[in-house]
Amino acid sequence: MKKVKVGLLVEEFYDKDLGGFGGYGILAREYIAKYIPNSEIEIEVIIGSNSKKEIKTIKRDGIKIHYLPKNWSSKMDIDFIYLGLVQKFFKEQKFDVYLSIEMSRIAYEVMRREKDKKLILWVQDPRPDYDWEEIKSVPMSNEYDSYINYYSKWEGKIQNLLKKLNEEKRLVLISQGEYLKKKAIDLYKLPKDTTIEYFPNPVVINDNFNIADKRDNVLFLGRLTPVKRPWIYFELAKKFPENIFYVCGQGTEIDKIIEKYKDVKNLKFMGHVSGEEKDRLLRECKVLVNTSIHEAIPVSFLEAISYGQKLLSCQNPDDITKNNGYFTGTILGEGLDQIEEFQKGLKFCLENYKESEIVESIEKIKNNHNLDKFINNMRELLKKEGV
C-alpha cells in the first residue's frame, strides 16, 4: 500500500540546534512528527529557508526537514535558479497533502504554488484585530509592532489564498478550541458558515500522579516577555511570602524588570525546564498562574490540570479556567492595578483544593486530550484528505 506523504509546514521545530521552543515547535516535533508516522503515513517537514541556492535537507529522529533556498519567494529579486529548484523539489517530492500549524508564511508560499493539493489548517492561535488591540495595551510589548511590520503585510495575501482554496474545496479547517473558530473566520475573512472541526491538542497524561505529593506552591510556566506580563506574578509572590513561587521560562526582553525581583526570597527563577525537573514541579505545585494579555488554549493549562493543578488566570478559553480554578476577568494594560484580583484568586485556589474536584478535572483532560485519541484522529484525517 502506498503511504500518504504529508508535508508539515511550520516556522519552528522544537530542537536545541534548530531553535523554536514555542508551543508550535513542540506540537510539530513532540506530537505530530513523533507519533503520527506509521506504515500508512509518511511525514516530512518544510520549515523555512537557508542562505544557499539549494535545498537543504537534514534529519531529526528519522524525520526529514527541508529548508528551501532563501528569498525563493521574493518578487523583489526573482532568481530563476531559485524558482527552478523549488519547482523541481515539489515535483519530485510528490506530497499528497499538507498540514500547517496555523497559517504561516511558509504555508502561504507553498500552497500558492500547489494547484491541486489540499491544505489542512490546524487553527491554534488566530489573532483578529480585536485581539491585537488588547495586546498593544501592554507597555514594552513589541509583538504588535512585529505584527504590523511583518504579518500585516501578508494578511491580505493569505486571506485571498485561503478564500481560493476554500472555493476549490482544498481547505480543511480544524481547531484546538471551540472559541477559536469565530476568531479564525474573522481573521481569515472566511464565510460565516465555514465548517471548522473541533480537534483538541494532545497532552501526555501522567498516570502515576499522586495528590499526596502536592505542596502549597505556585508555578509560572511561559516565556518571560511583556505579553506574558510576569511582573504580575512577581508581585503576587510578595503577597504570599510563605509560599514558593517557581518561575519556569526564559527571555531577555524584561531583564531589567526581573533584576528588581531577584531578592524576593520565595521567587525561584528556574530558567527553561523540561524532563524530570518539569515533571517534579508539575507534581509539586497546586496552582498554575497565567498572567498573559493573550492566550489561545495553552498546552501548559492542559498539562497543569492533568497534574492536579488549579488554574489562576485572566484568560478563560472555552471556560477552562473558570471550570478548573479562578478566572479574574479580563485585565488589560500593565495589569498591576488588578493585583488584588489575583490575590483573591490564589487564596481561593489554595483554600478550595479538593481531591474530588481534582480527580474529576484530570478525567476530563484524559478523555478529551489523550494521546491515543489524537493519534487515531490525526491519522484518519490525513489518510482521508491525502487520497
Side-chain angles (χ1 to χ4, degrees):
M1 180 184 294
K2 177 184 176 294
K3 286 187 176 183
V4 173
K5 188 171 182 178
V6 181
L8 176 58
L9 308 173
V10 290
E11 296 287 346
E12 59 182 25
F13 198 67
Y14 189 78
D15 188 275
K16 63 182 179 63
D17 297 321
L18 304 177
F21 291 103
Y24 294 178
I26 293 173
L27 194 56
R29 178 167 183 171
E30 298 297 312
Y31 291 96
I32 299 172
K34 183 175 182 178
Y35 292 110
I36 302 305
N38 64 359
S39 60
E40 297 177 290
I41 297 171
E42 177 182 4
I43 290 180
E44 295 186 7
V45 179
I46 304 171
I47 191 173
S49 63
N50 66 84
S51 60
K52 299 180 180 179
K53 292 185 178 183
E54 62 184 12
I55 308 292
K56 178 183 176 183
T57 299
I58 63 175
K59 272 193 174 183
R60 285 291 189 274
D61 299 327
I63 298 293
K64 288 183 180 179
I65 303 173
H66 304 289
Y67 290 84
L68 303 173
K70 190 175 183 180
N71 294 330
W72 65 279
S73 63
S74 175
K75 291 183 178 180
M76 298 296 292
D77 55 351
I78 279 183
D79 187 320
F80 289 101
I81 295 177
Y82 291 161
L83 295 178
L85 280 171
V86 170
Q87 290 169 353
K88 183 173 182 287
F89 170 78
F90 285 108
K91 185 176 181 180
E92 291 176 347
Q93 291 300 316
K94 297 180 180 178
F95 290 106
D96 296 305
V97 65
Y98 292 96
L99 171 63
S100 177
I101 302 177
E102 205 52 79
M103 193 61 192
S104 62
R105 178 173 174 177
I106 192 68
Y108 167 78
E109 294 296 354
V110 170
M111 290 310 300
R112 76 189 184 98
R113 285 170 169 77
E114 286 287 10
K115 304 302 180 186
D116 57 355
K117 304 297 169 59
K118 287 184 178 180
L119 172 67
I120 300 171
L121 176 55
W122 196 357
V123 173
Q124 292 287 325
D125 186 13
R127 300 182 183 186
D129 289 342
Y130 45 83
D131 276 6
W132 285 111
E133 286 299 316
E134 293 186 353
I135 291 170
K136 75 177 184 179
S137 74
V138 180
M140 300 177 299
S141 175
N142 62 2
E143 289 208 20
Y144 180 72
D145 293 335
S146 298
Y147 158 71
I148 292 296
N149 293 332
Y150 177 69
Y151 181 74
S152 65
K153 296 176 182 179
W154 292 86
E155 194 171 46
K157 294 179 180 179
I158 287 173
Q159 290 168 353
N160 289 336
L161 174 63
L162 292 181
K163 178 182 178 182
K164 179 176 181 290
L165 293 177
N166 192 44
E167 291 172 349
E168 294 174 356
K169 309 297 183 185
R170 293 197 291 129
L171 179 62
V172 179
L173 289 151
I174 59 178
S175 175
Q176 68 147 327
E178 294 287 354
Y179 93 116
L180 297 175
K181 294 178 180 180
K182 179 183 182 302
K183 289 190 177 187
I185 288 172
D186 291 345
L187 173 62
Y188 297 127
K189 300 294 189 287
L190 295 166
K192 300 298 182 185
D193 60 351
T194 298
T195 298
I196 305 179
E197 179 185 351
Y198 176 55
F199 206 99
N201 282 358
V203 61
V204 175
I205 305 295
N206 190 325
D207 291 323
N208 297 319
F209 165 74
N210 188 346
I211 201 164
D213 295 335
K214 290 297 182 187
R215 304 289 180 268
D216 284 345
N217 296 336
V218 188
L219 184 64
F220 177 96
L221 198 58
R223 292 176 291 119
L224 299 182
T225 60
V227 77
K228 298 296 183 181
R229 301 187 298 187
W231 50 77
I232 299 176
Y233 182 78
F234 303 158
E235 285 293 328
L236 188 63
K238 291 162 65 175
K239 305 291 185 182
F240 293 80
E242 296 182 358
N243 304 85
I244 297 175
F245 283 66
Y246 292 104
V247 183
C248 300
Q250 57 190 19
T252 59
E253 293 179 54
I254 59 167
D255 280 353
K256 290 183 179 180
I257 293 177
I258 292 173
E259 271 306 311
K260 298 177 183 178
Y261 294 92
K262 286 294 180 68
D263 293 332
V264 180
K265 293 182 179 180
N266 63 326
L267 259 181
K268 307 297 181 183
F269 290 89
M270 310 298 289
H272 176 75
V273 297
S274 59
E276 292 182 3
E277 181 71 355
K278 182 178 178 181
D279 179 75
R280 179 184 72 81
L281 293 172
L282 285 167
R283 285 173 178 274
E284 176 184 318
C285 297
K286 280 187 178 180
V287 184
L288 177 80
V289 178
N290 178 285
T291 54
S292 181
I293 189 70
H294 174 87
E295 292 287 4
I297 300 180
V299 172
S300 61
F301 279 20
L302 307 178
E303 286 180 330
I305 296 170
S306 74
Y307 274 81
Q309 292 188 19
K310 291 281 190 180
L311 303 179
L312 168 58
S313 180
C314 48
Q315 300 293 327
N316 186 38
D318 286 347
D319 281 341
I320 190 171
T321 303
K322 184 178 178 182
N323 293 334
N324 296 279
Y326 189 92
F327 173 48
T328 65
T330 300
I331 296 176
L332 302 179
E334 185 181 44
L336 290 176
D337 59 329
Q338 296 295 321
I339 190 69
E340 289 184 2
E341 194 61 34
F342 278 95
Q343 283 181 257
K344 179 180 175 183
L346 183 54
K347 186 177 179 181
F348 173 86
C349 288
L350 292 173
E351 292 180 352
N352 292 274
Y353 192 87
K354 300 175 182 177
E355 184 171 352
S356 59
E357 292 180 0
I358 294 299
V359 170
E360 183 181 351
S361 294
I362 293 172
E363 284 304 311
K364 288 180 180 178
I365 292 293
K366 283 184 177 180
N367 292 335
N368 203 35
H369 297 275
N370 75 78
L371 187 57
D372 288 339
K373 179 180 178 180
F374 162 74
I375 293 171
N376 291 333
N377 289 350
M378 182 59 79
R379 284 175 176 170
E380 288 304 310
L381 177 66
L382 293 172
K383 286 190 291 184
K384 174 186 173 184
E385 304 301 342
V387 174

